[in-house]
Amino acid sequence: EGHGAVRAWADVQRGQLVGGVADVGLSQVRATLGPKLEPLALRSVTGRFGALQLADGFEVTTKDLAFVADDGLSSPGADLYFRYNGGGASARAATAATAAQAAQEQGELRANRLDLAVIAQIAGRLPLDEKAREVLAHIAPRGLAQDVQASWQGPLSQPRQYQAVGAISDLS
C-alpha cells in the first residue's frame, strides 16, 4: 500500500506476463515481500524498477532508486542489475534441485552504489536466503561499495567460481 504515482509497462509473451518496468514516486509505502518477513515501511520511494522472468531464472533492475524508510534510514538514487540463472529454476519450484542443476546456477550483480549498512539493516525485510540474512546481521557491515561488478558460477551459497570488482570506502 502507498500513495503517489506509478507508470508501468508490461512484457507479455504468449498471453503470460514475463516482465515489466515501473517508474514510481510513492509515499507512505508498506509492503511485505515474503512470508515470515517484516513489512518494509518507507516514507518515500522514487525511481525505476524492472523485472524479467527468464526460461531458467530472472533479472531485476533499478534506476535512480532512492528511498527514505520510516525509521529515517535513507538511500540515495542507485542503479542495480541482478541476474540469476538457476539451471532449471522453474522445475525446482516443484522439486529439489539436482546436482546438475546446482552446477548450472550462475548470476551477475552490477551496481553503481551500494550502502552496505542500509542493506544490512533492511535485510530482514527482503526476500533473501536465511543464511545471507544471518551473515549480514552478524557482521553488520558499514561502508559504500561503488562500481560493483560481480559474477559467480554454482550455487550462490557455495560458488565454484566467482569474480568481483569494485571500490569500497569507509569499510568497517
Side-chain angles (χ1 to χ4, degrees):
E1 84 186 54
H3 305 283
V6 175
R7 183 172 57 178
W9 299 264
D11 294 332
V12 178
Q13 291 180 358
R14 296 186 182 112
Q16 298 291 317
L17 180 66
V18 296
V21 175
D23 290 338
V24 300
L26 301 171
S27 61
Q28 304 307 315
V29 175
R30 289 189 60 80
T32 302
L33 303 176
K36 300 181 185 176
L37 294 177
E38 299 175 41
L40 184 60
L42 305 173
R43 282 186 212 155
S44 66
V45 60
T46 60
R48 177 173 278 191
F49 293 91
L52 179 63
Q53 180 70 46
L54 305 172
D56 65 346
F58 62 91
E59 289 181 359
V60 176
T61 60
T62 69
K63 177 79 174 156
D64 294 325
L65 177 66
F67 68 85
V68 178
D70 277 357
D71 61 6
L73 180 69
S74 66
S75 178
D79 300 343
L80 178 127
Y81 169 85
F82 179 81
R83 178 187 48 81
Y84 170 79
N85 293 96
S90 58
R92 270 199 315 210
T95 61
T98 64
Q101 288 172 327
Q104 294 175 20
E105 287 184 50
Q106 59 183 346
E108 179 181 1
L109 170 69
R110 295 188 308 255
N112 66 335
R113 173 188 11 240
L114 295 173
D115 185 322
L116 302 178
V118 169
I119 293 169
Q121 289 179 9
I122 66 168
R125 295 168 172 88
L126 299 177
L128 299 173
D129 177 271
E130 185 61 34
K131 183 166 177 126
R133 271 196 225 84
E134 289 173 8
V135 169
L136 286 169
H138 176 73
I139 62 174
R142 301 239 181 266
L144 184 65
Q146 295 179 294
D147 301 322
V148 174
Q149 294 186 6
S151 61
W152 70 91
Q153 302 224 341
L156 183 55
S157 60
Q158 274 189 311
R160 286 185 326 281
Q161 181 180 1
Y162 64 91
Q163 178 178 348
V165 181
I168 299 178
S169 59
D170 301 323
L171 183 64
S172 63

